[in-house]
Amino acid sequence: ARLEQVHKGMGEMNALAADVGDLKRLLANVRTRGTWGEVQLGALLEQILVPEQFARNVEVVAGSGERVEFAIRLPGHDPASPVWLPIDAKFPREDYERLGAARDAGDAAAAASAERQLDARLRQEAKTIRGKYVAPPATTDFALLFLPTEGLYAEAVRRPGLLDDLQRNHRVVVAGPSTLAAILSSLQMGFRTLAIEQRSSEVWQLLGAVKTEFGRFGDVLARTREQIERAASTIGSAETRSRAIERRLREVESLPESDSRRLLGGEDAGGER
């Protein structure tokens, strides 16, 4: 029974190893790795921005034929011509794996060599992005290089002066998943502030219209008050006349009952109408 359990466990481990091998072969394909990084990038953009704020496969430089994976649509001087912020995803898996293997083996020389190779690869990618996609005023004067794993981004940060050099010399900002999410959140807040500024003129016009209508309402209210005051004065005059009539009526002596009946059409003294 124990041997059967061990045999079953070995079978499950073999199946798991086969799945890992399939994943390794999948990621070994350059196109597939690029697609995976693009999917990661697209997921982040869809989570934070609205569809109108970014686009896929954008030819940011008209007529160049070069299309960046994603670009954020920023407002320009002409509403019909936005300014694009290019974002390109890169996944140098081989360089990263060589670095990890050398560190696991405790080979300091191989680790240093792998670090230099990764450094050179990132610099080359940044140079390519700068040459293809950074072309003000059609684009911003910088682009974003997205590394789809936090471990790979940590290695880039660990290289002394690498990120500063890429930003200063190639106008490329390197970002991992968390860093890109923070950048996109900041851009989203900027979009909201800009929307408020653009709508502020409409709000001002609305307030002006409300002020005009309120002034007209004040005039109508003043005329209504005058009419009410005149009606109150008329009612007061009627009340004064009513009291005067009442005083005169009190001065009138009461008629005898027979005369009252005769005047009012009642029965006379003989019982006839």
Side-chain angles (χ1 to χ4, degrees):
R2 293 293 181 87
L3 287 175
E4 183 178 357
Q5 292 178 359
V6 171
H7 179 71
K8 183 178 179 181
M10 291 295 294
E12 294 176 351
M13 292 181 63
N14 289 332
L16 180 61
D19 293 339
V20 173
D22 292 339
L23 178 61
K24 185 174 181 181
R25 286 192 298 272
L26 179 65
L27 293 180
N29 184 278
V30 175
R31 180 176 179 82
T32 303
R33 280 183 284 143
T35 303
W36 182 71
E38 184 177 347
V39 170
Q40 291 282 93
L41 177 55
L44 277 174
L45 291 170
E46 291 174 356
Q47 289 174 7
I48 300 176
L49 302 180
V50 298
E52 292 78 13
Q53 293 173 341
F54 68 95
R56 300 172 181 264
N57 299 320
V58 183
E59 187 180 10
V60 292
V61 182
S64 65
E66 299 291 346
R67 294 184 175 273
V68 68
E69 294 174 352
F70 289 92
I72 298 176
R73 185 182 285 105
L74 302 176
H77 296 291
D78 184 4
S81 301
V83 177
W84 296 104
L85 170 57
I87 309 178
D88 201 8
K90 299 296 179 183
F91 186 23
R93 186 186 65 86
E94 293 88 352
D95 300 315
Y96 183 49
E97 283 188 350
R98 279 194 295 266
L99 177 58
R103 287 177 177 170
D104 292 340
D107 191 341
S113 176
E115 288 178 356
R116 289 192 297 270
Q117 291 176 358
L118 180 60
D119 185 293
R121 176 69 178 278
L122 293 177
R123 291 178 188 274
Q124 181 60 40
E125 296 291 357
K127 182 179 179 180
T128 302
I129 292 174
R130 169 66 185 273
K132 289 183 177 180
Y133 309 128
V134 179
T139 70
T140 56
D141 62 347
F142 70 96
L144 296 178
L145 170 57
F146 175 65
L147 301 178
T149 66
E150 294 293 351
L152 182 57
Y153 176 69
E155 291 298 335
V157 173
R158 189 177 290 114
R159 296 294 300 162
L162 174 61
L163 300 188
D164 292 337
D165 185 61
L166 296 183
Q167 184 173 353
R168 183 175 58 255
N169 295 331
H170 299 292
R171 308 300 299 171
V172 171
V173 177
V174 180
S178 299
T179 309
L180 182 62
I183 293 174
L184 295 178
S185 298
S186 300
L187 288 175
Q188 181 68 298
M189 291 299 297
F191 287 141
R192 293 176 181 174
T193 303
L194 180 62
I196 292 174
E197 292 177 353
Q198 291 176 345
R199 296 300 298 274
S200 62
S201 59
E202 299 178 13
V203 174
W204 182 258
Q205 294 175 0
L206 178 60
L207 290 176
V210 171
K211 182 179 179 181
T212 302
E213 291 298 328
F214 191 78
R216 295 176 181 173
F217 175 75
D219 295 338
V220 173
L221 188 61
R223 290 195 297 270
T224 304
R225 184 184 63 183
E226 293 175 356
Q227 294 175 0
I228 292 175
E229 289 176 351
R230 286 197 297 269
S233 177
T234 303
I235 293 173
S237 300
E239 289 179 348
T240 302
R241 297 302 300 168
S242 175
R243 287 193 296 269
I245 292 172
E246 288 177 355
R247 287 195 300 269
R248 291 299 180 90
L249 289 175
R250 284 195 299 267
E251 295 175 357
V252 177
E253 294 181 356
S254 299
L255 294 173
E257 183 177 355
S258 58
D259 295 338
S260 297
R261 289 179 177 179
R262 185 176 63 253
L263 293 173
L264 297 176
E267 294 182 354
D268 55 8
E272 296 178 357
R273 288 186 177 278

